[in-house]
Amino acid sequence: MSHTRARRRDRRVYLGGHPVLFGLLAATRGRPVRRIGGTLLVHGTEAYREALTRLPLDRTAEGTTGAAARDALAGDGGVLFDQEGAEHRSARRDLAAGLGATGVEDLRARWQPLLVRRLAPLAGGGEADLVELARELSGTVVCALLGSGADPGEVARAAAEAAAASVRSHLPGPRRPRAAADAARATRRLGALLGSAREAVPAAPGGGPHGHGPGRADGAMAAMVAVAAVNTTVAALPRAVAWCADAGLWDQAADEVLRPVLAAELLRVTAASPLLPRVAAADGTVGGCPVRGDDRLLLVARHAAAAHRRDPDARGPADPALSRLVFGAGAHACPGARLASVQLADVLAALAPYRPVVTRARVDRGAALPGWRTLRVRAAS
């Protein structure tokens, strides 16, 4: 087993889902910043950080995450991705309790029994599908975070459909007919699912059933939290487990001290959201390259975090500041970083006694983020 094998397998999720786009990114990564017409491809670590923290960005421009969210919600703004200033700080505060240390510990109580149940077949020589596990786990976490009584599996499926439809409507190149309408319909379905189920779940004053989360009043925020949490989890967890198995890192996963570091390293190299599309709101510079207002920027998180050239190793990890770049940088960095790290560490802890190997891996070609449609493992013989 080796990192070469792990990289070869993991590369399939990029080439299977978006081969042209990721082929272009790979071909241009030799420079920190490269301009192609009105688009800047930003690969370098400092250039990536500079673009997110120093360059004014238009978060509602066509082709950005904020625009995708706004379109999917039929113009309902204020969904965290496109907010600024006091509005953005308020939205993040609403999430902070549920995604902070105490909130994550509450959520662990929800997912740990699920891990025991889902991985039980490994003890008897059976197999477990890590994609199915990640889907149920993410749906369970979202429902707990939002105070929703909806079925976790239905929430996860609806969130995946909404994200995939939204990405199809905003990828570079020719637009698919009715792609934007499909995205809006899928997101409304998710919002209705979460909203109707919340009617039966009394919310504590701070939001969800334990007093955290965005609360029952903001359906747009709930839908976007669900989309982000489900899709990053379903993309990240199976890929991280596959890498751990292929590279033979189960001894690090079994070590209580090394395990959290390994989780951060695996999240760095798998980079669940490998590409951040943004648009400049004013003239400036990124990595020494002039930027004009309305220029499009494709910020390549996986290259900025050195995922393409530095293997994961808990005994010689990358600097935490580098690892965290896969969650963005600055005021709009992903607030779920702690949740993702603790969640993956718990999955690795549950799997480590079995030292599982991958028996089947099938790329999800229609997913919003690069990932597996099936990732089955069994205990090593």
Side-chain angles (χ1 to χ4, degrees):
M1 295 186 184
S2 69
H3 287 290
T4 300
R5 179 180 178 182
R7 283 191 178 279
R8 187 180 300 119
R9 187 195 300 277
D10 197 61
R11 192 176 297 121
R12 288 171 51 196
V13 301
Y14 295 107
L15 299 180
H18 307 290
V20 175
L21 177 60
F22 284 98
L24 171 66
L25 297 181
T28 60
R29 69 189 182 198
R31 297 182 187 175
V33 182
R34 188 184 294 261
R35 176 181 287 278
I36 300 178
T39 299
L40 276 75
L41 304 176
V42 181
H43 302 275
T45 300
E46 293 309 315
Y48 172 92
R49 187 179 283 114
E50 183 180 10
L52 287 174
T53 59
R54 299 180 188 174
L55 183 71
L57 298 174
D58 182 349
R59 297 188 179 276
T60 63
E62 182 71 16
T64 65
T65 306
R70 187 177 286 264
D71 286 355
L73 290 160
D76 190 349
V79 290
L80 192 63
F81 299 116
D82 63 353
Q83 294 170 331
E84 294 287 357
E87 182 184 33
H88 181 247
R89 288 192 295 272
S90 175
R92 289 182 70 94
R93 279 196 301 270
D94 287 342
L95 283 173
L99 297 176
T102 301
V104 169
E105 283 303 309
D106 287 346
L107 293 171
R108 290 183 78 194
R110 306 288 187 115
W111 76 57
Q112 286 179 330
L114 187 157
L115 293 180
V116 172
R117 174 170 53 82
R118 277 285 186 178
L119 299 179
L122 298 179
E127 296 186 349
D129 189 333
L130 269 296
V131 176
E132 291 181 1
L133 181 149
R135 191 175 291 124
E136 184 177 357
L137 190 156
S138 62
T140 298
V141 166
V142 164
C143 289
L145 186 63
L146 299 178
S148 173
D151 177 82
E154 288 188 23
V155 168
R157 284 189 291 273
E161 179 186 349
S166 182
V167 165
R168 285 194 295 269
S169 71
H170 284 80
L171 279 176
R175 297 293 169 84
R176 300 185 184 186
R178 295 190 54 78
D182 289 345
R185 184 168 54 253
T187 308
R188 285 195 300 270
R189 177 174 166 276
L190 171 63
L193 178 65
L194 291 168
S196 62
R198 278 202 304 274
E199 294 296 325
V201 181
H210 297 290
H212 50 66
R216 60 193 295 173
D218 193 342
M221 177 70 78
M224 288 302 100
V225 168
V227 166
V230 167
N231 287 280
T232 52
T233 301
V234 173
L237 285 184
R239 288 178 59 198
V241 170
W243 195 303
C244 192
D246 287 340
L249 299 177
W250 292 119
D251 57 332
Q252 296 185 15
D255 188 303
E256 291 186 4
V257 175
L258 294 177
R259 189 184 305 129
V261 184
L262 177 62
E265 282 285 273
L266 289 170
L267 290 172
R268 176 181 64 81
V269 296
T270 53
S273 298
L275 180 67
L276 307 181
R278 299 291 186 266
V279 172
D283 293 351
T285 61
V286 169
C289 181
V291 178
R292 300 183 295 267
D294 295 332
D295 272 348
R296 186 172 189 181
L297 298 100
L298 297 181
L299 310 180
V300 191
R302 72 181 306 268
H303 294 167
H308 60 304
R309 57 182 172 80
R310 180 168 182 163
D311 294 331
D313 184 1
R315 294 188 173 91
D319 186 277
L322 184 70
S323 297
R324 285 195 294 270
L325 289 181
V326 296
F327 297 101
H332 283 264
C334 174
R338 179 195 296 271
L339 171 64
S341 298
V342 173
Q343 202 171 66
L344 177 55
D346 277 3
V347 171
L348 295 175
L351 286 169
Y354 303 108
R355 303 183 69 87
V357 296
V358 177
T359 59
R360 186 186 181 201
R362 179 185 174 195
V363 174
D364 191 339
R365 299 179 184 276
L369 299 174
W372 299 108
R373 186 178 183 86
T374 300
L375 194 288
R376 299 189 67 83
V377 299
R378 62 169 172 77
S381 54

